[in-house]
Amino acid sequence: MSDRGLNATGIETSLAERRIPVLSPLGELVNAFLEWFGSLAIFAWNVARAACTPPYEWRELVRQLDEVGSKSLPLVALAGAAIGAVLAMEAQQSLTQFGAKALFPSAIVFSVVTEMGPIITGLVVSGRVGAGIGAELASMKVSEQIDALEVSAVSPYRLLAAPRILACILMMPLLTVAADFCGLMMGWVAGTLFEPMSLHRFIESGFNGATMSSFLPPTFKTAVFGLIVGLIACFQGMTTTGGAEGVGRAATKSVVLASLFVILADVVLVKFILVVFPL
Amino acid sequence: MNSFISKPPDLPTVSSAATNDQSVASANRSPVVDVDNVYKSFGAQHVLNGVSLTVHPGETRAVLGRSGTGKSVLLRLIVGLQEPDSGSVRIFGQDIAGLSLDRLAPIRKKMGFLFQHAALYDSLTVGENVGFPLNHHRADMSKSERDERVSQVLSEVGMEKQSDKMPAELSGGMQKRIGLARALVMDPELLLLDEPTAGLDPIGSAEINELVLKLQKEHHIAFIVVTHDIHSARTIADRLTLLDKGCVVMDGSFEELKSSDNEFVREFLKHS
Ligand SMILES: Nc1ncnc2c1ncn2[C@@H]1O[C@H](COP(=O)(O)OP(=O)(O)OP(=O)(O)O)[C@@H](O)[C@H]1O
Ligand SMILES: [Mg+2]
């Protein structure tokens, strides 16, 4: 092909035209994703800048800590307990089969604390909080309340987005600890029903050989989940358009994208933690 | 535009604004709002096609036009919620194109904006809605001073008894008046009102018109009022702008509007 450009001859133009329909669905998808990601990055930058400069919205932050934290606690605790029970039943079965019953406490402790607790918390919170924030901000957006804030010279990034995202980041590790605790307790209860064991022994042998560095990183990685959930929900909510339908769309998209990115981030973070804090 | 500055001051200018003494006086002060040849499209839809408009201190301009001609879009451009595709918007002499939220803030604190659908914060009570700008920008006022100011503006719009209600408990016309109170509370120099009397009963609209006249007289506020109510426009406005299909069809006093032989103007007046 000559370097006079694609449009230099008619033939090349028509070739290029004919290739568009083949490439465009994928191309469009990639394009849409890049565009979405770019806007998300600009949004994140605006929030970060607003969050780092006074005035700080302490009252709003406290309200959101309660909204995200205390109000998610029952759900997260329940999910953690259920996972603990399920893990215990499965582990009993398979460990007995392989003659490794003595490993039961460590198996529960490790699977709950390093993976199941964090990811379950991340997903439950992206469902509850993602939908809540997405829908709340979207309904403020479509009823022009966010425009009204802006016109009153109050930054919506500072007043709305920053406290919500910060609350998600701060609360996620705490909620994870709660989920872990409930998971371990239920794991012990379920295990004990199968084969009695004192809680003291369960804890002692479960945490035997474990160090801080095997528990802290998996717990604190959930702060990243919090960032993802808060950021995506605020972004989807504050940029939605078009009436009640837009509100529904923002809530759905918040949950779907937040869950998806929490799972993807988990893959990356697990690898990262394994490399940086080898067992 | 400022070419007359270079002339000796006593020579008459040829500007059309120089038809009466008042507008000569106001032409010499810098305008509060100066919208110059603004274009705005949404996708393929051209909403504003070269709109220009100026408002001087203390002046009230009514913007009229059929539904969907871009009156609300014009107000949103002036307050910086949207950016024009081309053309410039200058507020208090400053071009607001591309200004960040922080740079816009000092300008916006001097403006009040009434949204077409009031846009009250639905998680706050009426009193908190009206006090919201004060709580965020007037740390120098004590709590009781702020409360006093809130009840003062609420009584100006006749809503002093509704302070503890939630916006959802109010009728559309009442929400509109609360929105107006919120726009007033910071003592703005420029008020942008999007259909302040729509959804109000005749007595309510007359009260709003009186309030606007009072604010003009006592506080020397400049107004841009979007309205479908030609009688209200006649009562409160010094100048009227008639928009059609995104263009300014007519810009002048009510008398000029009435004597215009433009077909659209006459059609518009005939039906209102
Ligand atoms: N954000 C937007 N996205 C797409 N189109 C828009 C947007 N805002 C306004 N429009 C379009 O611009 C046109 C003008 O809208 P605008 O709200 O300014 O009308 P209006 O003159 O205020 O009408 P009304 O008197 O009914 O309030 C409409 O056709 C509307 O569809
Ligand atoms: Mg409108």
Side-chain angles (χ1 to χ4, degrees), chain B residues 6 8 10-12 20 32 45 48 58 77 85-86 89-90 109 126 162 196-197 199 202 207 225 230 245 250:
Chain B
S6 56
D10 52 350
L11 271 184
N20 63 48
V32 179
Q45 185 191 4
L48 298 178
L77 292 177
D85 299 335
S86 70
V89 177
R90 303 176 77 83
K109 283 180 204 168
V126 163
Q162 318 297 335
T197 56
E207 282 169 2
V225 183
I230 188 91
K245 302 197 181 79
M250 166 85 216

mmCIF file with all atom_site columns, all heavy atoms in Angstrom, chain B residues 6 8 10-12 20 32 45 48 58 77 85-86 89-90 109 126 162 196-197 199 202 207 225 230 245 250:
data_model
loop_
_atom_site.group_PDB
_atom_site.id
_atom_site.type_symbol
_atom_site.label_atom_id
_atom_site.label_alt_id
_atom_site.label_comp_id
_atom_site.label_asym_id
_atom_site.label_entity_id
_atom_site.label_seq_id
_atom_site.pdbx_PDB_ins_code
_atom_site.Cartn_x
_atom_site.Cartn_y
_atom_site.Cartn_z
_atom_site.occupancy
_atom_site.B_iso_or_equiv
_atom_site.pdbx_formal_charge
_atom_site.auth_seq_id
_atom_site.auth_comp_id
_atom_site.auth_asym_id
_atom_site.auth_atom_id
_atom_site.pdbx_PDB_model_num
ATOM 1   N N   . SER B 1 6   ? -13.629 55.263 21.974 1.00 0.00 ? 6   SER B N   1
ATOM 2   C CA  . SER B 1 6   ? -12.613 56.099 21.353 1.00 0.00 ? 6   SER B CA  1
ATOM 3   C C   . SER B 1 6   ? -13.180 57.422 20.830 1.00 0.00 ? 6   SER B C   1
ATOM 4   O O   . SER B 1 6   ? -12.451 58.341 20.533 1.00 0.00 ? 6   SER B O   1
ATOM 5   C CB  . SER B 1 6   ? -11.945 55.326 20.212 1.00 0.00 ? 6   SER B CB  1
ATOM 6   O OG  . SER B 1 6   ? -12.958 54.915 19.317 1.00 0.00 ? 6   SER B OG  1
ATOM 7   N N   . PRO B 1 8   ? -15.317 61.052 21.075 1.00 0.00 ? 8   PRO B N   1
ATOM 8   C CA  . PRO B 1 8   ? -15.605 62.020 22.135 1.00 0.00 ? 8   PRO B CA  1
ATOM 9   C C   . PRO B 1 8   ? -16.916 61.632 22.808 1.00 0.00 ? 8   PRO B C   1
ATOM 10  O O   . PRO B 1 8   ? -17.854 61.226 22.128 1.00 0.00 ? 8   PRO B O   1
ATOM 11  C CB  . PRO B 1 8   ? -15.761 63.344 21.384 1.00 0.00 ? 8   PRO B CB  1
ATOM 12  C CG  . PRO B 1 8   ? -15.113 63.140 20.067 1.00 0.00 ? 8   PRO B CG  1
ATOM 13  C CD  . PRO B 1 8   ? -15.196 61.689 19.771 1.00 0.00 ? 8   PRO B CD  1
ATOM 14  N N   . ASP B 1 10  ? -19.433 63.112 24.001 1.00 0.00 ? 10  ASP B N   1
ATOM 15  C CA  . ASP B 1 10  ? -20.722 63.758 23.771 1.00 0.00 ? 10  ASP B CA  1
ATOM 16  C C   . ASP B 1 10  ? -21.310 63.485 22.384 1.00 0.00 ? 10  ASP B C   1
ATOM 17  O O   . ASP B 1 10  ? -22.397 63.917 22.073 1.00 0.00 ? 10  ASP B O   1
ATOM 18  C CB  . ASP B 1 10  ? -20.604 65.272 24.023 1.00 0.00 ? 10  ASP B CB  1
ATOM 19  C CG  . ASP B 1 10  ? -19.465 65.873 23.256 1.00 0.00 ? 10  ASP B CG  1
ATOM 20  O OD1 . ASP B 1 10  ? -18.669 65.082 22.684 1.00 0.00 ? 10  ASP B OD1 1
ATOM 21  O OD2 . ASP B 1 10  ? -19.357 67.097 23.214 1.00 0.00 ? 10  ASP B OD2 1
ATOM 22  N N   . LEU B 1 11  ? -20.560 62.745 21.561 1.00 0.00 ? 11  LEU B N   1
ATOM 23  C CA  . LEU B 1 11  ? -21.126 62.404 20.256 1.00 0.00 ? 11  LEU B CA  1
ATOM 24  C C   . LEU B 1 11  ? -22.184 61.313 20.424 1.00 0.00 ? 11  LEU B C   1
ATOM 25  O O   . LEU B 1 11  ? -21.982 60.374 21.185 1.00 0.00 ? 11  LEU B O   1
ATOM 26  C CB  . LEU B 1 11  ? -20.033 61.878 19.317 1.00 0.00 ? 11  LEU B CB  1
ATOM 27  C CG  . LEU B 1 11  ? -19.285 62.912 18.489 1.00 0.00 ? 11  LEU B CG  1
ATOM 28  C CD1 . LEU B 1 11  ? -18.316 62.199 17.547 1.00 0.00 ? 11  LEU B CD1 1
ATOM 29  C CD2 . LEU B 1 11  ? -20.252 63.777 17.687 1.00 0.00 ? 11  LEU B CD2 1
ATOM 30  N N   . PRO B 1 12  ? -23.299 61.426 19.755 1.00 0.00 ? 12  PRO B N   1
ATOM 31  C CA  . PRO B 1 12  ? -24.299 60.360 19.862 1.00 0.00 ? 12  PRO B CA  1
ATOM 32  C C   . PRO B 1 12  ? -23.766 59.068 19.228 1.00 0.00 ? 12  PRO B C   1
ATOM 33  O O   . PRO B 1 12  ? -23.077 59.110 18.216 1.00 0.00 ? 12  PRO B O   1
ATOM 34  C CB  . PRO B 1 12  ? -25.493 60.900 19.084 1.00 0.00 ? 12  PRO B CB  1
ATOM 35  C CG  . PRO B 1 12  ? -24.934 61.947 18.186 1.00 0.00 ? 12  PRO B CG  1
ATOM 36  C CD  . PRO B 1 12  ? -23.718 62.501 18.856 1.00 0.00 ? 12  PRO B CD  1
ATOM 37  N N   . ASN B 1 20  ? -33.073 55.253 24.389 1.00 0.00 ? 20  ASN B N   1
ATOM 38  C CA  . ASN B 1 20  ? -33.526 56.068 25.508 1.00 0.00 ? 20  ASN B CA  1
ATOM 39  C C   . ASN B 1 20  ? -32.420 56.227 26.541 1.00 0.00 ? 20  ASN B C   1
ATOM 40  O O   . ASN B 1 20  ? -31.451 55.478 26.551 1.00 0.00 ? 20  ASN B O   1
ATOM 41  C CB  . ASN B 1 20  ? -34.807 55.492 26.131 1.00 0.00 ? 20  ASN B CB  1
ATOM 42  C CG  . ASN B 1 20  ? -34.574 54.119 26.721 1.00 0.00 ? 20  ASN B CG  1
ATOM 43  O OD1 . ASN B 1 20  ? -33.607 53.926 27.461 1.00 0.00 ? 20  ASN B OD1 1
ATOM 44  N ND2 . ASN B 1 20  ? -35.434 53.167 26.395 1.00 0.00 ? 20  ASN B ND2 1
ATOM 45  N N   . VAL B 1 32  ? -23.731 42.505 33.389 1.00 0.00 ? 32  VAL B N   1
ATOM 46  C CA  . VAL B 1 32  ? -23.627 41.402 34.339 1.00 0.00 ? 32  VAL B CA  1
ATOM 47  C C   . VAL B 1 32  ? -23.527 40.085 33.564 1.00 0.00 ? 32  VAL B C   1
ATOM 48  O O   . VAL B 1 32  ? -22.757 39.196 33.889 1.00 0.00 ? 32  VAL B O   1
ATOM 49  C CB  . VAL B 1 32  ? -24.870 41.370 35.253 1.00 0.00 ? 32  VAL B CB  1
ATOM 50  C CG1 . VAL B 1 32  ? -24.785 40.219 36.224 1.00 0.00 ? 32  VAL B CG1 1
ATOM 51  C CG2 . VAL B 1 32  ? -25.018 42.675 35.976 1.00 0.00 ? 32  VAL B CG2 1
ATOM 52  N N   . GLN B 1 45  ? -29.146 17.555 16.969 1.00 0.00 ? 45  GLN B N   1
ATOM 53  C CA  . GLN B 1 45  ? -30.172 18.569 17.196 1.00 0.00 ? 45  GLN B CA  1
ATOM 54  C C   . GLN B 1 45  ? -29.533 19.909 17.563 1.00 0.00 ? 45  GLN B C   1
ATOM 55  O O   . GLN B 1 45  ? -28.875 20.048 18.592 1.00 0.00 ? 45  GLN B O   1
ATOM 56  C CB  . GLN B 1 45  ? -31.090 18.095 18.333 1.00 0.00 ? 45  GLN B CB  1
ATOM 57  C CG  . GLN B 1 45  ? -32.255 19.019 18.569 1.00 0.00 ? 45  GLN B CG  1
ATOM 58  C CD  . GLN B 1 45  ? -32.979 18.686 19.860 1.00 0.00 ? 45  GLN B CD  1
ATOM 59  O OE1 . GLN B 1 45  ? -32.566 17.805 20.623 1.00 0.00 ? 45  GLN B OE1 1
ATOM 60  N NE2 . GLN B 1 45  ? -34.060 19.393 20.110 1.00 0.00 ? 45  GLN B NE2 1
ATOM 61  N N   . LEU B 1 48  ? -29.379 25.909 20.112 1.00 0.00 ? 48  LEU B N   1
ATOM 62  C CA  . LEU B 1 48  ? -29.158 27.355 20.030 1.00 0.00 ? 48  LEU B CA  1
ATOM 63  C C   . LEU B 1 48  ? -28.284 27.655 18.817 1.00 0.00 ? 48  LEU B C   1
ATOM 64  O O   . LEU B 1 48  ? -27.231 27.046 18.633 1.00 0.00 ? 48  LEU B O   1
ATOM 65  C CB  . LEU B 1 48  ? -28.479 27.860 21.319 1.00 0.00 ? 48  LEU B CB  1
ATOM 66  C CG  . LEU B 1 48  ? -29.283 27.675 22.604 1.00 0.00 ? 48  LEU B CG  1
ATOM 67  C CD1 . LEU B 1 48  ? -28.481 28.157 23.802 1.00 0.00 ? 48  LEU B CD1 1
ATOM 68  C CD2 . LEU B 1 48  ? -30.614 28.396 22.537 1.00 0.00 ? 48  LEU B CD2 1
ATOM 69  N N   . GLY B 1 58  ? -28.993 45.593 37.569 1.00 0.00 ? 58  GLY B N   1
ATOM 70  C CA  . GLY B 1 58  ? -30.317 46.098 37.892 1.00 0.00 ? 58  GLY B CA  1
ATOM 71  C C   . GLY B 1 58  ? -31.352 45.916 36.810 1.00 0.00 ? 58  GLY B C   1
ATOM 72  O O   . GLY B 1 58  ? -32.505 46.299 36.990 1.00 0.00 ? 58  GLY B O   1
ATOM 73  N N   . LEU B 1 77  ? -26.419 27.366 30.225 1.00 0.00 ? 77  LEU B N   1
ATOM 74  C CA  . LEU B 1 77  ? -25.134 27.842 29.697 1.00 0.00 ? 77  LEU B CA  1
ATOM 75  C C   . LEU B 1 77  ? -24.637 29.024 30.525 1.00 0.00 ? 77  LEU B C   1
ATOM 76  O O   . LEU B 1 77  ? -23.444 29.139 30.820 1.00 0.00 ? 77  LEU B O   1
ATOM 77  C CB  . LEU B 1 77  ? -25.274 28.282 28.243 1.00 0.00 ? 77  LEU B CB  1
ATOM 78  C CG  . LEU B 1 77  ? -25.550 27.206 27.188 1.00 0.00 ? 77  LEU B CG  1
ATOM 79  C CD1 . LEU B 1 77  ? -25.720 27.858 25.830 1.00 0.00 ? 77  LEU B CD1 1
ATOM 80  C CD2 . LEU B 1 77  ? -24.430 26.197 27.149 1.00 0.00 ? 77  LEU B CD2 1
ATOM 81  N N   . ASP B 1 85  ? -21.054 25.171 22.340 1.00 0.00 ? 85  ASP B N   1
ATOM 82  C CA  . ASP B 1 85  ? -20.153 24.614 21.318 1.00 0.00 ? 85  ASP B CA  1
ATOM 83  C C   . ASP B 1 85  ? -19.250 25.716 20.779 1.00 0.00 ? 85  ASP B C   1
ATOM 84  O O   . ASP B 1 85  ? -18.086 25.505 20.495 1.00 0.00 ? 85  ASP B O   1
ATOM 85  C CB  . ASP B 1 85  ? -20.964 24.001 20.175 1.00 0.00 ? 85  ASP B CB  1
ATOM 86  C CG  . ASP B 1 85  ? -21.850 22.862 20.676 1.00 0.00 ? 85  ASP B CG  1
ATOM 87  O OD1 . ASP B 1 85  ? -21.491 22.271 21.706 1.00 0.00 ? 85  ASP B OD1 1
ATOM 88  O OD2 . ASP B 1 85  ? -22.895 22.596 20.056 1.00 0.00 ? 85  ASP B OD2 1
ATOM 89  N N   . SER B 1 86  ? -19.836 26.899 20.604 1.00 0.00 ? 86  SER B N   1
ATOM 90  C CA  . SER B 1 86  ? -19.009 28.055 20.247 1.00 0.00 ? 86  SER B CA  1
ATOM 91  C C   . SER B 1 86  ? -19.698 29.299 20.761 1.00 0.00 ? 86  SER B C   1
ATOM 92  O O   . SER B 1 86  ? -20.848 29.253 21.173 1.00 0.00 ? 86  SER B O   1
ATOM 93  C CB  . SER B 1 86  ? -18.805 28.116 18.733 1.00 0.00 ? 86  SER B CB  1
ATOM 94  O OG  . SER B 1 86  ? -20.024 28.457 18.110 1.00 0.00 ? 86  SER B OG  1
ATOM 95  N N   . VAL B 1 89  ? -19.668 33.149 26.908 1.00 0.00 ? 89  VAL B N   1
ATOM 96  C CA  . VAL B 1 89  ? -20.556 33.565 27.987 1.00 0.00 ? 89  VAL B CA  1
ATOM 97  C C   . VAL B 1 89  ? -19.698 34.275 29.019 1.00 0.00 ? 89  VAL B C   1
ATOM 98  O O   . VAL B 1 89  ? -18.774 33.689 29.582 1.00 0.00 ? 89  VAL B O   1
ATOM 99  C CB  . VAL B 1 89  ? -21.254 32.344 28.631 1.00 0.00 ? 89  VAL B CB  1
ATOM 100 C CG1 . VAL B 1 89  ? -22.120 32.798 29.795 1.00 0.00 ? 89  VAL B CG1 1
ATOM 101 C CG2 . VAL B 1 89  ? -22.069 31.582 27.619 1.00 0.00 ? 89  VAL B CG2 1
ATOM 102 N N   . ARG B 1 90  ? -19.974 35.554 29.242 1.00 0.00 ? 90  ARG B N   1
ATOM 103 C CA  . ARG B 1 90  ? -19.231 36.307 30.249 1.00 0.00 ? 90  ARG B CA  1
ATOM 104 C C   . ARG B 1 90  ? -20.191 36.700 31.359 1.00 0.00 ? 90  ARG B C   1
ATOM 105 O O   . ARG B 1 90  ? -21.250 37.266 31.108 1.00 0.00 ? 90  ARG B O   1
ATOM 106 C CB  . ARG B 1 90  ? -18.600 37.557 29.634 1.00 0.00 ? 90  ARG B CB  1
ATOM 107 C CG  . ARG B 1 90  ? -17.678 37.266 28.472 1.00 0.00 ? 90  ARG B CG  1
ATOM 108 C CD  . ARG B 1 90  ? -17.171 38.561 27.859 1.00 0.00 ? 90  ARG B CD  1
ATOM 109 N NE  . ARG B 1 90  ? -16.136 39.150 28.677 1.00 0.00 ? 90  ARG B NE  1
ATOM 110 C CZ  . ARG B 1 90  ? -14.858 38.771 28.609 1.00 0.00 ? 90  ARG B CZ  1
ATOM 111 N NH1 . ARG B 1 90  ? -14.480 37.855 27.745 1.00 0.00 ? 90  ARG B NH1 1
ATOM 112 N NH2 . ARG B 1 90  ? -13.970 39.322 29.396 1.00 0.00 ? 90  ARG B NH2 1
ATOM 113 N N   . LYS B 1 109 ? -21.539 32.077 43.625 1.00 0.00 ? 109 LYS B N   1
ATOM 114 C CA  . LYS B 1 109 ? -22.061 32.551 44.904 1.00 0.00 ? 109 LYS B CA  1
ATOM 115 C C   . LYS B 1 109 ? -22.811 33.864 44.744 1.00 0.00 ? 109 LYS B C   1
ATOM 116 O O   . LYS B 1 109 ? -23.605 34.240 45.592 1.00 0.00 ? 109 LYS B O   1
ATOM 117 C CB  . LYS B 1 109 ? -20.911 32.727 45.910 1.00 0.00 ? 109 LYS B CB  1
ATOM 118 C CG  . LYS B 1 109 ? -20.428 31.415 46.482 1.00 0.00 ? 109 LYS B CG  1
ATOM 119 C CD  . LYS B 1 109 ? -19.301 31.628 47.470 1.00 0.00 ? 109 LYS B CD  1
ATOM 120 C CE  . LYS B 1 109 ? -18.459 30.388 47.573 1.00 0.00 ? 109 LYS B CE  1
ATOM 121 N NZ  . LYS B 1 109 ? -17.202 30.620 48.292 1.00 0.00 ? 109 LYS B NZ  1
ATOM 122 N N   . VAL B 1 126 ? -37.668 21.643 54.035 1.00 0.00 ? 126 VAL B N   1
ATOM 123 C CA  . VAL B 1 126 ? -37.758 22.917 53.334 1.00 0.00 ? 126 VAL B CA  1
ATOM 124 C C   . VAL B 1 126 ? -36.776 23.930 53.919 1.00 0.00 ? 126 VAL B C   1
ATOM 125 O O   . VAL B 1 126 ? -36.013 24.580 53.201 1.00 0.00 ? 126 VAL B O   1
ATOM 126 C CB  . VAL B 1 126 ? -39.205 23.437 53.407 1.00 0.00 ? 126 VAL B CB  1
ATOM 127 C CG1 . VAL B 1 126 ? -39.279 24.911 53.066 1.00 0.00 ? 126 VAL B CG1 1
ATOM 128 C CG2 . VAL B 1 126 ? -40.094 22.621 52.494 1.00 0.00 ? 126 VAL B CG2 1
ATOM 129 N N   . GLN B 1 162 ? -44.071 26.404 56.147 1.00 0.00 ? 162 GLN B N   1
ATOM 130 C CA  . GLN B 1 162 ? -43.742 25.079 55.595 1.00 0.00 ? 162 GLN B CA  1
ATOM 131 C C   . GLN B 1 162 ? -42.340 24.612 55.969 1.00 0.00 ? 162 GLN B C   1
ATOM 132 O O   . GLN B 1 162 ? -41.878 23.594 55.460 1.00 0.00 ? 162 GLN B O   1
ATOM 133 C CB  . GLN B 1 162 ? -43.861 25.099 54.059 1.00 0.00 ? 162 GLN B CB  1
ATOM 134 C CG  . GLN B 1 162 ? -45.052 25.838 53.515 1.00 0.00 ? 162 GLN B CG  1
ATOM 135 C CD  . GLN B 1 162 ? -46.356 25.192 53.938 1.00 0.00 ? 162 GLN B CD  1
ATOM 136 O OE1 . GLN B 1 162 ? -46.389 24.007 54.229 1.00 0.00 ? 162 GLN B OE1 1
ATOM 137 N NE2 . GLN B 1 162 ? -47.422 25.980 53.996 1.00 0.00 ? 162 GLN B NE2 1
ATOM 138 N N   . PRO B 1 196 ? -40.699 31.090 36.850 1.00 0.00 ? 196 PRO B N   1
ATOM 139 C CA  . PRO B 1 196 ? -41.017 31.206 38.279 1.00 0.00 ? 196 PRO B CA  1
ATOM 140 C C   . PRO B 1 196 ? -42.514 31.134 38.558 1.00 0.00 ? 196 PRO B C   1
ATOM 141 O O   . PRO B 1 196 ? -42.903 30.738 39.649 1.00 0.00 ? 196 PRO B O   1
ATOM 142 C CB  . PRO B 1 196 ? -40.460 32.580 38.662 1.00 0.00 ? 196 PRO B CB  1
ATOM 143 C CG  . PRO B 1 196 ? -40.393 33.330 37.391 1.00 0.00 ? 196 PRO B CG  1
ATOM 144 C CD  . PRO B 1 196 ? -40.100 32.319 36.326 1.00 0.00 ? 196 PRO B CD  1
ATOM 145 N N   . THR B 1 197 ? -43.337 31.496 37.601 1.00 0.00 ? 197 THR B N   1
ATOM 146 C CA  . THR B 1 197 ? -44.776 31.527 37.892 1.00 0.00 ? 197 THR B CA  1
ATOM 147 C C   . THR B 1 197 ? -45.517 30.348 37.276 1.00 0.00 ? 197 THR B C   1
ATOM 148 O O   . THR B 1 197 ? -46.733 30.243 37.434 1.00 0.00 ? 197 THR B O   1
ATOM 149 C CB  . THR B 1 197 ? -45.415 32.839 37.398 1.00 0.00 ? 197 THR B CB  1
ATOM 150 O OG1 . THR B 1 197 ? -45.128 32.981 36.011 1.00 0.00 ? 197 THR B OG1 1
ATOM 151 C CG2 . THR B 1 197 ? -44.866 34.023 38.151 1.00 0.00 ? 197 THR B CG2 1
ATOM 152 N N   . GLY B 1 199 ? -47.227 26.987 37.075 1.00 0.00 ? 199 GLY B N   1
ATOM 153 C CA  . GLY B 1 199 ? -47.777 26.119 38.105 1.00 0.00 ? 199 GLY B CA  1
ATOM 154 C C   . GLY B 1 199 ? -48.294 26.868 39.317 1.00 0.00 ? 199 GLY B C   1
ATOM 155 O O   . GLY B 1 199 ? -48.683 26.262 40.297 1.00 0.00 ? 199 GLY B O   1
ATOM 156 N N   . PRO B 1 202 ? -53.178 32.453 39.939 1.00 0.00 ? 202 PRO B N   1
ATOM 157 C CA  . PRO B 1 202 ? -53.008 33.862 39.560 1.00 0.00 ? 202 PRO B CA  1
ATOM 158 C C   . PRO B 1 202 ? -52.541 34.735 40.719 1.00 0.00 ? 202 PRO B C   1
ATOM 159 O O   . PRO B 1 202 ? -51.714 35.625 40.522 1.00 0.00 ? 202 PRO B O   1
ATOM 160 C CB  . PRO B 1 202 ? -54.418 34.280 39.115 1.00 0.00 ? 202 PRO B CB  1
ATOM 161 C CG  . PRO B 1 202 ? -55.105 33.020 38.779 1.00 0.00 ? 202 PRO B CG  1
ATOM 162 C CD  . PRO B 1 202 ? -54.500 31.928 39.587 1.00 0.00 ? 202 PRO B CD  1
ATOM 163 N N   . GLU B 1 207 ? -48.022 37.590 43.296 1.00 0.00 ? 207 GLU B N   1
ATOM 164 C CA  . GLU B 1 207 ? -47.126 37.794 44.443 1.00 0.00 ? 207 GLU B CA  1
ATOM 165 C C   . GLU B 1 207 ? -45.661 37.668 44.030 1.00 0.00 ? 207 GLU B C   1
ATOM 166 O O   . GLU B 1 207 ? -44.811 38.439 44.476 1.00 0.00 ? 207 GLU B O   1
ATOM 167 C CB  . GLU B 1 207 ? -47.445 36.771 45.545 1.00 0.00 ? 207 GLU B CB  1
ATOM 168 C CG  . GLU B 1 207 ? -48.678 37.138 46.349 1.00 0.00 ? 207 GLU B CG  1
ATOM 169 C CD  . GLU B 1 207 ? -49.133 35.991 47.249 1.00 0.00 ? 207 GLU B CD  1
ATOM 170 O OE1 . GLU B 1 207 ? -48.466 34.934 47.260 1.00 0.00 ? 207 GLU B OE1 1
ATOM 171 O OE2 . GLU B 1 207 ? -50.155 36.172 47.925 1.00 0.00 ? 207 GLU B OE2 1
ATOM 172 N N   . VAL B 1 225 ? -35.451 36.171 33.398 1.00 0.00 ? 225 VAL B N   1
ATOM 173 C CA  . VAL B 1 225 ? -36.629 35.393 33.738 1.00 0.00 ? 225 VAL B CA  1
ATOM 174 C C   . VAL B 1 225 ? -37.151 34.706 32.489 1.00 0.00 ? 225 VAL B C   1
ATOM 175 O O   . VAL B 1 225 ? -37.538 35.370 31.525 1.00 0.00 ? 225 VAL B O   1
ATOM 176 C CB  . VAL B 1 225 ? -37.739 36.299 34.329 1.00 0.00 ? 225 VAL B CB  1
ATOM 177 C CG1 . VAL B 1 225 ? -38.924 35.454 34.755 1.00 0.00 ? 225 VAL B CG1 1
ATOM 178 C CG2 . VAL B 1 225 ? -37.197 37.100 35.495 1.00 0.00 ? 225 VAL B CG2 1
ATOM 179 N N   . ILE B 1 230 ? -46.783 36.272 29.231 1.00 0.00 ? 230 ILE B N   1
ATOM 180 C CA  . ILE B 1 230 ? -46.420 37.546 28.611 1.00 0.00 ? 230 ILE B CA  1
ATOM 181 C C   . ILE B 1 230 ? -46.805 38.719 29.513 1.00 0.00 ? 230 ILE B C   1
ATOM 182 O O   . ILE B 1 230 ? -46.118 39.741 29.550 1.00 0.00 ? 230 ILE B O   1
ATOM 183 C CB  . ILE B 1 230 ? -47.066 37.651 27.212 1.00 0.00 ? 230 ILE B CB  1
ATOM 184 C CG1 . ILE B 1 230 ? -46.552 38.874 26.454 1.00 0.00 ? 230 ILE B CG1 1
ATOM 185 C CG2 . ILE B 1 230 ? -48.572 37.691 27.281 1.00 0.00 ? 230 ILE B CG2 1
ATOM 186 C CD1 . ILE B 1 230 ? -45.362 38.576 25.635 1.00 0.00 ? 230 ILE B CD1 1
ATOM 187 N N   . LYS B 1 245 ? -36.677 28.686 17.383 1.00 0.00 ? 245 LYS B N   1
ATOM 188 C CA  . LYS B 1 245 ? -35.771 27.736 16.737 1.00 0.00 ? 245 LYS B CA  1
ATOM 189 C C   . LYS B 1 245 ? -34.312 28.064 17.032 1.00 0.00 ? 245 LYS B C   1
ATOM 190 O O   . LYS B 1 245 ? -33.443 28.000 16.171 1.00 0.00 ? 245 LYS B O   1
ATOM 191 C CB  . LYS B 1 245 ? -36.001 27.718 15.226 1.00 0.00 ? 245 LYS B CB  1
ATOM 192 C CG  . LYS B 1 245 ? -37.439 27.368 14.845 1.00 0.00 ? 245 LYS B CG  1
ATOM 193 C CD  . LYS B 1 245 ? -37.536 26.954 13.392 1.00 0.00 ? 245 LYS B CD  1
ATOM 194 C CE  . LYS B 1 245 ? -38.962 26.626 13.022 1.00 0.00 ? 245 LYS B CE  1
ATOM 195 N NZ  . LYS B 1 245 ? -39.771 27.853 12.771 1.00 0.00 ? 245 LYS B NZ  1
ATOM 196 N N   . MET B 1 250 ? -36.405 38.624 18.373 1.00 0.00 ? 250 MET B N   1
ATOM 197 C CA  . MET B 1 250 ? -36.753 39.992 18.738 1.00 0.00 ? 250 MET B CA  1
ATOM 198 C C   . MET B 1 250 ? -36.113 40.296 20.073 1.00 0.00 ? 250 MET B C   1
ATOM 199 O O   . MET B 1 250 ? -36.103 39.469 20.976 1.00 0.00 ? 250 MET B O   1
ATOM 200 C CB  . MET B 1 250 ? -38.295 40.026 18.827 1.00 0.00 ? 250 MET B CB  1
ATOM 201 C CG  . MET B 1 250 ? -38.868 41.221 19.502 1.00 0.00 ? 250 MET B CG  1
ATOM 202 S SD  . MET B 1 250 ? -39.014 42.548 18.324 1.00 0.00 ? 250 MET B SD  1
ATOM 203 C CE  . MET B 1 250 ? -38.630 43.932 19.370 1.00 0.00 ? 250 MET B CE  1
#
